[in-house]
Amino acid sequence: MPAMKRISSSDQTHAENFYYQKQMQSKTPVVVVMKDGDQVQGVIEWYDKNCIKLNRNGGPSLLVYKPAIRYIYKAGENLQNR
């Protein structure tokens, strides 16, 4: 019986991984806007395929599941101009 080869997805850009790595390395404060409208702010400490861990100043770290996230932006950016 021949071994099954894993087929890689050619449409995957790895942009999400690049974004998280860049924000982690620079310790950029980010705002995570949740699908329910809540917002949490912190620095991305680590991530995996299902969640991110936010280290918050003055509060406990949070484990945030990616499916609950609407979008993320750098803290201090004005989203009115987008």
Side-chain angles (χ1 to χ4, degrees):
M1 182 174 214
M4 298 289 288
K5 290 186 178 181
R6 183 174 175 183
I7 300 171
S8 64
S9 175
S10 62
D11 61 348
Q12 188 173 9
T13 64
H14 304 286
E16 180 181 18
N17 293 339
F18 178 77
Y19 176 80
Y20 289 135
Q21 286 293 328
K22 185 176 178 184
Q23 303 317 314
M24 287 169 48
Q25 289 172 359
S26 62
K27 299 185 187 300
T28 305
V30 296
V31 177
V32 178
V33 179
M34 310 301 284
K35 287 186 177 178
D36 66 3
D38 287 345
Q39 296 184 13
V40 290
Q41 185 171 340
V43 174
I44 299 172
E45 189 173 327
W46 62 260
Y47 70 96
D48 66 15
K49 72 177 197 171
N50 298 314
C51 58
I52 63 173
K53 183 178 180 185
L54 276 183
N55 188 349
R56 300 188 308 157
N57 190 13
S61 294
L62 291 177
L63 190 63
V64 181
Y65 288 98
K66 289 180 180 178
I69 298 172
R70 182 176 295 161
Y71 58 89
I72 300 173
Y73 64 93
K74 293 180 185 178
E77 282 189 344
N78 184 356
L79 295 180
Q80 299 288 335
N81 297 329
R82 289 188 171 189

